[in-house]
Amino acid sequence: MDFRSLRSLDEVLAALAELGDAACVLAGGTDVMVQLGRGEIAPQTLVHIEHVGELSAISCNGHVRLGATATHSSIAESPAILNSYGSLAAAAASVGGWQTQSVGTIGGNIANASPAADLLPPLLVHGAVVSLSSASGSRTLSIDQLLTGRRSTACAADELIVAVDLEPVGARTADAFVKVGRRSAMEVSIVALAVRLTLDETMTTVTDARIALASCGPMAFRATEAEAALIGTTLDDDALRAAGAALGNRAQLIDDVRATAAYRRRLIPRVLGKAVAECRQTIVNRSESQT
Amino acid sequence: MMSVSLNINGRDRSVNVDGADTLLDVLREQVGLLGTKEGCVEGECGACTVLIDGAPVDSCIYAAAAAGGRQVTTIEGLARPGDYSPIQQAFIDGGGVQCGFCTPGFIVTLTALLRRNPDPSRDEINNALSGNICRCTGYSQIIEAALLVAAAATSTPTPAGAVAQ
Amino acid sequence: MTMVGDSIARSDAGAKVQGGAMYGVDHREVGMLHGAILRSPVAAGRIVSLDTSAAEALAGVYLVCSAADQPETMAGWVLKDQRLFATGNVRFEGEPIALVVAEDRATALAGVAAIALVIDELPGVDLETACSSEARVIHPDWQSYVPAGGEAADYPRRGNVAAEMRAEPAGVDEAFARAAQVIEDRFTTNRQYQAYLEPKAAVATYADGRYTIHTSVQHPYNVRERVAQLLGVRVSAVRVVGKTIGGGFGGKLDASVEPIAAFAAKLTGRPVKIRNTRTEDILTCPSRENAIVTMRTALDADGVMIARDVTVEMDNGAFSAEMPWLASLPLHILGAIYELAGPTRVISRLWYTNTAPTGAFRGVGGTYLYMALEQHTDHIANTLLVDRLQFRRAHLIHDGSASLSGQVLGDAGILAEGYDELERVAPWQQVLADLKPWQGVGIASGVWMTNPMPGQATVKMNEDGTVHVITGATENGSGALTMGVTQIVAHELGVNAANVYVTMPDTDVSGYDAGSQGSRTTHIVGRAALDAAIEVKRQLFDVAANLLEADPADLTIVDGRVSVVGSPAVSIDIADVANAALWTVGAVAATSSYTSPAIPFDAGCGSGVLFTTMSTPTYHVHMAVVEIDPVTGRVKIVRYVVIQEVGRAINPVGVRGQIQGAVTQGIGLALYESLRIGADCRYLERSLEAYRLPLALDIPEVEIVLMEHPDTNGPFGAKGVAEPAVVFAPAAIINAVSHALGRSITALPVTPEEVLSIIEEIEGEA
Ligand SMILES: Cc1cc2nc3c(=O)[nH]c(=O)nc-3n(C[C@H](O)[C@H](O)[C@H](O)COP(=O)(O)OP(=O)(O)OC[C@H]3O[C@@H](n4cnc5c(N)ncnc54)[C@H](O)[C@@H]3O)c2cc1C
Ligand code: FES
Ligand code: FES
């Protein structure tokens, strides 16, 4: 298998244009190398992008932008992410172990589009916009447009994910990430859920709610029905029950080696309740610390 | 096959690899460094942990070619034989080793942790070790070894001058 | 001076922390070829065709062989029911069918992929199916199989029943007939994979009619025997040389890749290495068996337990390894904690199934048998509205109680002492009062044993005053050799432990040993080494007495010098004594062997009782406090206490490591680990991603209290230490989960799924 370790974006895009389907982008390799080892993929050339310096930055000029090769470690430790996008930091800190996080990247997590990709629920609730480049141009897609199915995305063979932009977080808004696995770490999610909640000035009524789930269908998704069930409510039990039910209805659950569909069905409303409670608590805490 | 120049434990070394060859296989089969162990080849156990530019990486799922031009540190590169690093010594003294097959991976990961954070808490150690499996010890004596090194490091008086930085 | 009871560093730690220790998988020979095994992809079927021509045609392939090439011999640890390669039929997924040997591993693997195999698949027989008795007979030729010990050693078995043990004292049915109530439970347990971190590997060479195998196994003599049986040669034609073992826990007691590597070495004339991938290792490892336990207890109107009736159905897998012996275990466990006011009937059956052969895993079936017994005990106490601890204490066996095989347990009162110790460190009422919402506490206790099988050690004094201990015993990581035996010999000879070297096993050189199993090495090999050291000391004193012009009876060794008691100035370095001996009595060395004395038992206690008594019993009390996450059903261990009888702790740090490590494996079995058998009889968990081993984050620091009642036979009183903590952990944890939920738990492991469904049931009722 050929290997090209490239240093600039232009070189990468040129290589992808030249090789097309025969190329496989290699970032941290934590998915690619496992898939190669299992014989699931057999590309002709690995295009190694880890050393493309311009791709790895996390910047916050007005809004937060993550380069495609930002590693899970750097995301989990970034003050900008920790301050406003705690769910994303928590998701990144839950990917495998330290060894996985020190090389695994956000671009790889998105492009691999696993049904269990942990970064996707936080990216979905934060309205992430993905920038794609190829030798012939650039375009942007919202994260839900990018995801097209189980392990499939709208990213073309000659395209590279270069960056991810996050929607700014307004006042009285907080997020939470809940991941369920059997062990305390090193788990492919049984259920992973992110919530982003905004309360009105009285801190009682929900003005905006965003909910996204992974490991509950062929791909991670945002559950607008469940969101609608919360918006305008005071997060009373009925609202939570309705949201939980709507979330469960959207899920396409299966039995797999990690858990049964029945367990996932039981988990969904419970983790939703937990995440919503966490969001509300964070908003209250923040407002108290301001006053 | 392609030629890649690696810096392993401070020495430059060029190896001939296929793009898909793992760093673990190259270290063990070509370079002859057998201290890095293979437990799963899936990134699950951490027995194959090495440092790449100071960060712990599972060498079983890292392409050797990707390590070209970077500093690779294996268990053999942490100290001369018989001249133990503090964390190695703490493992020896405190029962951190049983069968020892996981040990190189644990030592490498903890070396990275202690370099970054000379005084980690038990929780920080546990978290840092979530990618390392030990089937023998039940972890306690490993964690204590790390705490012992941390305590020794922090109780050493700071050299004059270092404070100003 | 390093002495017994000190926590000296283990002698192999330095190499291990620096990556210098060489394990089985690290061994290599000049000119070595690599083998890869074609394994059955299905659990059951008939081999219709096997076309290896494409593999043979590959550049770099040296050999392809299969059943057609193998010797006409049968092999097995207890029963000879095995061949080198699947012959005609396949009986479990992973069974070896063919071998490809090539110049490198990649080519060998490519060769395996190139083999065209057609199997006419049959529906697999699993444990439930086997028990239903309608099942297809997996070994139609079972009657022709001969026990390894010869025809005379045969035992009750028939069709799919690979072994049966029945102990049926009179009066059980009568007691149930007059019972006021009957408490009944049915427990199931899944398989547990040893998951040692080093997958199996071996390198074999062949020369001058003899095979040499470098491998990291727990029982080299057993592997030697299996290789000899499978290849149809006498045992002395095989030499097994031990390498550092990357964990075993029972999974490396029997041969695996060694016989096939040896066979290939002969056919190619080159050294051949075979190593398992992790998946191959999971598929073929002799895991702890799955089982079904039904337990009924008859209570009279006063709540007195007047009889018990227990049936244990154990999964043997497709071939018999060590399991026929272990089919007797329920008899010992079920009589070994509580006294009943009436008889106990125990029937255990071992079933052939279309799954990987099962085997010993640290603590063997004790894990789930104690879980069943202790959960059943909680069930009885709760039914009678009696405090669980009080109920236990009221029924504990005591000094002189007899087990169900009629063995008198002279020191069983240690159990009550264990409960006293528990009360001291964790006062029961306090523990109960301190429980927070969603927390529960569980207790488990009982007896465990020290494997009595024989071992030999040679102690050899070097001319420089250092000591070699030559033994076929193995250091599986427990420290039994690199701490235990090392310290015992150092202590006896008055030398520094750093000057004692225990050699690696080599069946050509070192004396027989029955392997690192059953917590036996420190006790058995330590005793053999101690006896040899005593003789070495006697030889040294004889020589030194001449040199010092003293009476041998007045001599002592301190810090490596022989001196006269009371006049330390009159002394001589033992190196000088050892040198002097060369020219007089000869080199100073001695060999000794030890096996635990036979224990009287009641031969009429039952039929098929292949192992009859519990040697060197030890007593244990465990307590677990757990907390349940009501959102996910996950269980966290909040507190874990072990009260353990050890005889004498030769090395306290080492003992602690054994207990902490064993509890961790018990937590694994209770909460995380299971090799589930799917509808097609194939494992669902096939990698370390799916098979979840506990991580540092999942494990509490275990609180340990050691009890020391020195054993009269053990070296410095030592008894077996390594296994017992795994035996009781699942029971204590399951009882705690059951307490937290107020419901019986009947399956190992207890999964978050099950816990959450119980929580929803409870919420539904509320
Ligand atoms: C032990 C282990 C544990 C894991 N645990 C988790 C977990 O808990 N949660 C989780 O979500 N994932 C987990 N993963 C999966 C994996 O680590 C993550 O998906 C990671 O983010 C992938 O990033 P990478 O840089 O390693 O990707 P790579 O393996 O390099 O690439 C993954 C895929 O993305 C493509 N790709 C990479 N970068 C780009 C780009 N910039 N543009 C276009 N395509 C690109 C590649 O071609 C490939 O198809 C685990 C993996 C391992 C080995
Ligand atoms: S061998 Fe690399 S993580 Fe297990
Ligand atoms: S010491 Fe054996 S796996 Fe850790």
Side-chain angles (χ1 to χ4, degrees), chain B residues 96-103 106 133-137 142, chain C residues 197 247:
Chain B
V97 184
Q98 288 189 25
C99 84
F101 202 78
C102 71
T103 308
F106 273 88
I133 289 174
C134 175
R135 187 52 154 168
C136 297
T137 62
I142 291 177
Chain C
L197 221 50

Side-chain angles (χ1 to χ4, degrees), chain A residues 183-184 187 257 260 263 270, chain C residues 630 632 692-693 698 753 763:
Chain A
R183 297 186 290 202
S184 307
E187 284 283 347
V257 73
T260 61
Y263 180 53
R270 291 172 173 268
Chain C
T632 62
R692 296 176 175 87
L693 296 163
D698 300 311
E753 305 218 22
E763 287 169 349

Side-chain angles (χ1 to χ4, degrees), chain A residues 24-35 49 55 68-69 72 94-97 100 103-112 116-119 155 159-162 179 186-189, chain B residues 42-44 58 61:
Chain A
C24 173
V25 171
L26 180 74
T30 56
D31 283 315
V32 168
M33 294 302 289
V34 172
Q35 289 159 8
I49 63 168
L55 286 179
T69 61
H72 298 302
S94 81
V95 173
T100 331
V103 293
T105 64
I106 184 170
N109 198 260
I110 296 171
N112 193 55
D118 284 318
L119 266 50
C155 179
E159 269 183 321
L160 190 74
I161 296 174
V162 291
K179 169 170 173 170
M186 286 299 282
E187 284 283 347
V188 179
S189 291
Chain B
E42 290 195 308
E44 290 290 332
D58 288 325
I61 52 166

